Amino acid sequence: MKDVKFAITDIETTGGGIKGNKITEICVLVVQNGEVIEEYTSLVNPGTEIPLYIETLTNINDEMLVDAPKFAEIAPEIQKITKDCVFVAHNVNFDYNIIKAEFGSLDMSFQRKRLCTVRLAKKLIPGLFSYSLGNICTSINIPHYDRHRAKGDCEATVTLFQRCLALDPEYEIFEKMLNQKTAASYLPPNFKNSDFEKLPTSTGVYFFKDKDGIPIYIGKAKNIKSRVKSHFQERSNRKYKMMQATYSIDYELTGSEVLALLRESALILKYFPEFNKAQKKVSRPYTLTSYHNQKGIEQFVIHKNKVSPVSWMKFYTREEAVKFLEFLCQEFELCPRYCGLQTGVDHCSHYKIKDCSGMCKGEIEQHEYNHRVSKAVDYIQQYENSCLLVEKGRTKAEKSFIYLKKGRYAGYGYVENSDDFNVDQFEDYLIPQQNSSYADRIVNKYLSTKKNLTRLELNQVEEIEERETEEWFG
């Protein structure tokens, strides 16, 4: 380990995150056995203007870079000086990924082992108020000249690196960090590896929190740990900025994925986290209604903006509504023409429904057809009743339920996974929730895609039955 070479690196850039950020200055100081053995420093022409706030911060302006080499010209030198070295930087993923992106733009590969002096300092010099390079240097008396210039910051990082070497003479911490095989190598600088290792592989919602414990991003996942790891590996500027602002992570297990979706939606509406995209406004739903036409035939129709005295169900896409009507036609032997599936025709010729009831041809009596429609309405009404949708729980010892009050989401809860659950007492376990258009859409989609739906009716508490839906609910 003593003979390992460390290429301690610092760059200045045009600003921003990872994507589109260009290098304006680079410094590499190679350290071996605690001593600097090689150095490379250069300004870099980024091929774009320097933003004013970056010029103010670094004192690097466009004039200084006119005659500077472009990255393509210095790339061979960077490859050479860092070859067979461990790449080291303060907040290493920033410097490393921007340099890697610069090489990528030239169709060149850049792969090095990485070591972060932020994480080293947190492990070997715990308890500091801040681990930014400037604050560390102030706290432990490291000279830091020419701040926000590549060589000045790089020299300060070298001194910090040497201090860390002195605190780890047997290289135990160094070797552990270099041999990490987990997502720890991708962790943002303020995030604890121990917090990541504690994350579950179960279904639920997770919270990225800032230094004050305020949620800045909320997500849902079937496997929380795997999903969080994928965030660390994303390279968008927005994700990079979010990772830099993350100090801790929390989670809430839900057991079922549909409940995770409902909790994610409710928590986003509660906290409005900075890095969550605003929930799209749900458009006005399509409504299924029925009426007696001039011939006295009970007819189904889908509408979006009209007000009607009878409204049966709501759908958030026309495709969902059409699929359901096709199911009704086939299940209850109805006529596509009188279900709003065909217009401008005298007799049905639906591409999918071949067995028309014959109402459009006068082959059955009106009262017989209306009786079939009445049975279809009875079927529809069951989904407007109050019920519990039962799903798996957070552990094998429990199950979860979603409470629909007159067909609308009104809460959730958890009960023991046994046959002794009394539906009458579900309110003892209920966690009430406010409904929203987002929740409506989640529940509707769940009902339309769930193959084995366990539904406990609350208006017939003595009868607990499991309904297995096949057709459109499959």
Side-chain angles (χ1 to χ4, degrees):
M1 189 71 182
K2 289 182 179 180
D3 294 327
V4 173
K5 293 192 292 184
F6 299 91
I8 299 175
T9 306
D10 190 84
I11 60 174
E12 301 303 324
T13 70
T14 53
I18 303 296
K19 286 189 175 181
N21 202 350
K22 306 295 288 183
I23 296 173
T24 59
E25 188 175 37
I26 186 168
C27 178
V28 181
L29 299 174
V30 179
V31 173
Q32 187 177 37
N33 294 319
E35 300 296 329
V36 176
I37 62 169
E38 199 171 354
E39 173 185 338
Y40 180 82
T41 303
S42 177
L43 289 169
V44 183
N45 186 336
T48 185
E49 291 185 354
I50 308 295
L52 180 60
Y53 77 97
I54 293 294
E55 181 180 329
T56 303
L57 180 69
T58 65
N59 289 319
I60 298 174
N61 57 47
D62 295 323
E63 286 185 22
M64 294 169 60
L65 303 179
V66 169
D67 297 323
K70 293 189 174 181
F71 187 82
E73 299 173 60
I74 67 169
E77 190 64 35
I78 302 301
Q79 283 275 31
K80 179 182 175 183
I81 196 171
T82 61
K83 185 180 179 182
D84 300 323
C85 293
V86 175
F87 187 97
V88 182
H90 204 72
N91 190 6
V92 69
N93 287 334
F94 176 78
D95 300 71
Y96 180 82
N97 285 316
I98 290 180
I99 291 175
K100 185 176 180 179
E102 290 275 21
F103 275 103
S105 68
L106 303 173
D107 293 325
M108 297 173 66
S109 176
F110 186 79
Q111 297 287 339
R112 303 287 186 269
K113 276 193 171 184
R114 283 166 283 171
L115 197 58
C116 182
T117 51
V118 175
R119 303 191 71 79
L120 269 177
K122 283 190 171 185
K123 196 72 175 177
L124 294 167
I125 315 172
L128 298 184
F129 174 74
S130 168
Y131 285 85
S132 68
L133 184 60
N135 286 331
I136 289 180
C137 291
T138 300
S139 298
I140 61 176
N141 297 317
I142 290 177
H144 191 183
Y145 306 112
D146 215 4
R147 294 189 180 197
H148 302 300
R149 291 297 298 269
K151 187 171 183 180
D153 287 348
C154 197
E155 287 176 338
T157 304
V158 166
T159 305
L160 173 60
F161 183 80
Q162 291 168 331
R163 295 277 184 94
C164 289
L165 279 174
L167 292 169
D168 189 28
E170 301 300 322
Y171 296 96
E172 293 179 6
I173 302 301
F174 275 73
E175 287 187 346
K176 184 177 180 180
M177 289 191 173
L178 282 172
N179 294 320
Q180 289 175 146
K181 301 297 184 184
T182 67
S185 60
Y186 298 96
L187 291 178
N190 300 309
F191 192 79
K192 296 179 181 177
N193 183 35
S194 58
D195 286 347
F196 173 76
E197 294 302 330
K198 292 175 185 175
L199 293 176
T201 56
S202 308
T203 302
V205 292
Y206 55 91
F207 312 76
F208 288 130
K209 296 182 175 181
D210 65 13
K211 60 183 178 181
D212 298 317
I214 297 172
I216 58 175
Y217 181 81
I218 295 172
K220 72 89 188 171
K222 287 184 178 180
N223 182 326
I224 291 176
K225 190 171 189 176
S226 177
R227 182 66 186 102
V228 168
K229 180 180 177 180
S230 72
H231 280 293
F232 298 153
Q233 297 169 325
E234 291 183 28
R235 295 288 174 259
S236 70
N237 290 343
R238 176 174 162 273
K239 284 295 175 69
Y240 171 76
K241 186 178 179 182
M242 181 175 77
M243 291 295 98
Q244 297 304 299
T246 298
Y247 280 72
S248 64
I249 194 165
D250 202 354
Y251 61 88
E252 175 186 317
L253 298 182
T254 61
S256 74
E257 189 177 9
V258 63
L259 192 47
L261 282 165
L262 289 166
R263 293 296 296 137
E264 177 193 40
S265 176
L267 290 164
I268 289 173
L269 287 174
K270 179 179 179 180
Y271 292 107
F272 292 100
E274 177 184 355
F275 291 97
N276 279 98
K277 293 180 180 178
Q279 295 195 30
K280 293 181 179 178
K281 185 177 180 181
V282 177
S283 61
R284 186 187 296 272
Y286 292 89
T287 302
L288 174 64
T289 187
S290 65
Y291 67 97
H292 279 82
N293 66 17
Q294 292 178 346
K295 297 179 181 179
I297 300 171
E298 186 75 7
Q299 183 167 340
F300 284 118
V301 67
I302 301 168
H303 64 80
K304 193 168 187 179
N305 298 310
K306 296 179 182 179
V307 176
S308 61
V310 178
S311 295
W312 298 119
M313 295 180 71
K314 296 184 186 302
F315 304 90
Y316 287 90
T317 68
R318 184 169 180 81
E319 290 74 18
E320 291 172 0
V322 168
K323 188 177 180 182
F324 182 68
L325 284 172
E326 290 172 348
F327 166 76
L328 290 182
C329 278
Q330 294 172 315
E331 183 72 12
F332 297 98
E333 299 181 43
L334 303 180
C335 180
R337 179 186 174 192
Y338 294 116
C339 288
L341 294 173
Q342 286 197 290
T343 59
V345 297
D346 293 329
H347 307 303
C348 291
S349 58
H350 195 272
Y351 78 99
K352 183 176 181 181
I353 303 167
K354 304 302 181 183
D355 299 324
C356 171
S357 68
M359 188 68 230
C360 58
K361 299 177 183 179
E363 295 176 354
I364 64 170
E365 297 293 331
Q366 174 188 306
H367 68 85
E368 168 60 23
Y369 184 82
N370 286 349
H371 178 65
R372 296 181 188 181
V373 174
S374 179
K375 289 198 295 184
V377 169
D378 288 341
Y379 177 83
I380 292 169
Q381 284 181 318
Q382 71 173 315
Y383 293 96
E384 298 294 305
N385 293 336
S386 297
C387 67
L388 303 182
L389 304 176
V390 182
E391 268 282 1
K392 61 183 178 182
R394 298 161 294 188
T395 66
K396 291 182 179 180
E398 71 177 12
K399 52 190 174 185
S400 64
F401 66 82
I402 295 167
Y403 173 40
L404 300 186
K405 184 176 182 180
K406 295 183 178 180
R408 308 292 299 280
Y409 175 60
Y412 69 97
Y414 298 94
V415 295
E416 289 185 7
N417 190 11
S418 70
D419 296 330
D420 298 330
F421 174 51
N422 188 334
V423 182
D424 282 333
Q425 299 174 340
F426 84 94
E427 289 182 342
D428 294 341
Y429 306 92
L430 178 66
I431 304 170
Q433 297 290 296
Q434 289 285 343
N435 189 40
S436 69
S437 56
Y438 308 107
D440 273 344
R441 189 163 194 177
I442 291 167
V443 169
N444 279 10
K445 188 172 182 180
Y446 171 77
L447 291 173
S448 69
T449 57
K450 181 67 174 178
K451 290 186 177 180
N452 297 312
L453 181 65
T454 304
R455 179 187 180 95
L456 306 183
E457 303 293 347
L458 295 177
N459 55 347
Q460 297 176 345
V461 295
E462 70 280 359
E463 180 182 351
I464 300 176
E465 67 176 308
E466 178 174 309
R467 306 181 186 274
E468 292 190 355
T469 59
E470 299 294 343
E471 305 289 340
W472 96 280
F473 280 109

